[in-house]
Amino acid sequence: MRNATKLSTAVLAAGALTFGLSACGSSGADSASDTSGPLVVAASPTPHAEILNYVKENLAKKAGLDLEVKEFTDYVTPNTATEDGSVGANYFQNQPYLDDFNKKRGTHIVPVVTVHLEPLGLYSHKVKSADALKSGATIAVPNDSVNEARALKLLDANGIITLKDGVGNEATPSDIAKNPKNLTFKELEAAQTPRSLDDVDAAVVNGNYAIEADLKPASDALVLESAKDNPYGNFLAVKDGNEDDPRVKKLAELLTSAEVKKFIEDKYAGSVLASF
């Protein structure tokens, strides 16, 4: 299941990269190297691109920033496109995911500024509380290593399972020490988890995909990550060496402005939390 799903994701990511390259223009490196042109930022549609588009429509012109937003629905292409210069920056990920990606892919992406947290949550169309999950219930979890570990840690933190001591950011169901309800786990590409809710008993869903699926993390989640001391804040990122690009510095300032904080609070009502 894991290998088949990852292969499918890789194929889709390759297609998305082809689209991204053609959409960005001729020489992809131009986006990152020509600081006089627009700053092209790769982003997940929700909430990242929505936040960037708010900046573009309300703040960028006054700040002298020419901003272009490119949307991608996978978690691979934004980093590979940033690495090869097809885009100048990206906004979609957290530090544990980036660390794992750089290590496995040999990329050189670095964070610039943390903007928000999307709490990971457990959702269900079949039960109203985590306690109501029946013995042998099936739980869908993201299949990429960091988000799967994050999902299992969420279940552990809420007493649904117990993980082995010392488990890190590559935990899988084989690292479960206690499973009192004999839960089974269905590993899916992260974007597929909300779509699985009619087929499984519950699913752990990333915040951005939950919002896209019209789920309200603040009210619909059976259990939800705490924002306190949470290492999974999402940030603006660039290829190492591009942190001093004046366009990137301007965008970092705008993304952590009072106006953006109010936009996040008003639009997402607790389902996305400003981290500044």
Side-chain angles (χ1 to χ4, degrees):
M1 175 67 72
R2 176 189 289 269
N3 290 339
T5 307
K6 284 189 174 179
L7 177 60
S8 174
T9 302
V11 172
L12 289 173
L17 178 57
T18 301
F19 168 79
L21 290 172
S22 63
C24 290
S26 55
S27 175
D30 289 348
S31 172
S33 61
D34 180 9
T35 60
S36 65
L39 177 64
V40 183
V41 183
S44 298
T46 306
H48 309 79
E50 293 174 346
I51 294 171
L52 286 169
N53 281 321
Y54 170 80
V55 170
K56 178 179 180 179
E57 294 165 8
N58 297 276
L59 306 174
K61 185 176 181 180
K62 184 177 180 180
L65 175 64
D66 188 357
L67 180 62
E68 185 176 344
V69 183
K70 295 291 184 184
E71 296 185 11
F72 296 91
T73 58
D74 71 288
Y75 285 168
V76 175
T77 316
N79 274 338
T80 56
T82 303
E83 178 75 12
D84 69 22
S86 302
V87 300
N90 68 56
Y91 175 32
F92 78 100
Q93 66 194 317
N94 57 56
Q95 191 68 59
Y97 179 83
L98 176 59
D99 290 343
D100 182 71
F101 192 98
N102 278 336
K103 179 180 178 181
K104 291 180 176 177
R105 302 264 181 163
T107 46
H108 309 85
I109 311 302
V110 296
V112 176
V113 65
T114 301
V115 181
H116 77 269
L117 172 73
E118 302 160 26
L120 197 74
L122 178 69
Y123 301 85
S124 177
H125 286 172
K126 299 179 180 178
V127 298
K128 298 296 185 182
S129 70
D131 291 340
L133 288 168
K134 296 180 180 179
S135 179
T138 298
I139 311 295
V141 294
N143 71 349
D144 64 275
S145 57
V146 170
N147 280 306
E148 181 169 51
R150 186 180 174 188
L152 295 174
K153 288 179 180 180
L154 172 68
L155 301 180
D156 175 89
N158 287 276
I160 298 169
I161 60 170
T162 301
L163 291 170
K164 298 174 183 176
D165 290 340
V167 168
N169 289 324
E170 295 187 356
T172 70
S174 65
D175 295 304
I176 295 173
K178 295 180 182 179
N179 186 3
K181 291 195 173 186
N182 296 310
L183 302 174
T184 59
F185 295 90
K186 186 173 184 178
E187 297 167 304
L188 300 173
E189 197 273 326
Q192 300 296 323
T193 53
R195 303 171 198 171
S196 73
L197 283 169
D198 288 333
D199 303 315
V200 297
D201 296 288
V204 180
V205 183
N206 290 71
N208 60 316
Y209 292 130
I211 296 167
E212 288 176 12
D214 293 326
L215 296 168
K216 295 180 175 59
S219 57
D220 293 341
L222 305 183
V223 297
L224 193 66
E225 274 183 328
S226 170
K228 184 178 180 181
D229 299 323
N230 196 301
Y232 296 105
N234 284 202
F235 46 68
L236 178 70
V238 297
K239 187 174 182 179
D240 190 16
N242 292 336
E243 302 94 318
D244 291 331
D245 182 327
R247 303 169 303 169
V248 171
K249 287 186 172 183
K250 282 183 183 179
L251 180 57
E253 291 176 3
L254 296 177
L255 282 172
T256 53
S257 65
E259 293 90 341
V260 167
K261 186 172 186 177
K262 186 176 187 304
F263 171 77
I264 290 172
E265 291 172 347
D266 291 347
K267 182 172 180 62
Y268 301 110
S271 295
V272 175
L273 306 172
S275 299
F276 56 92

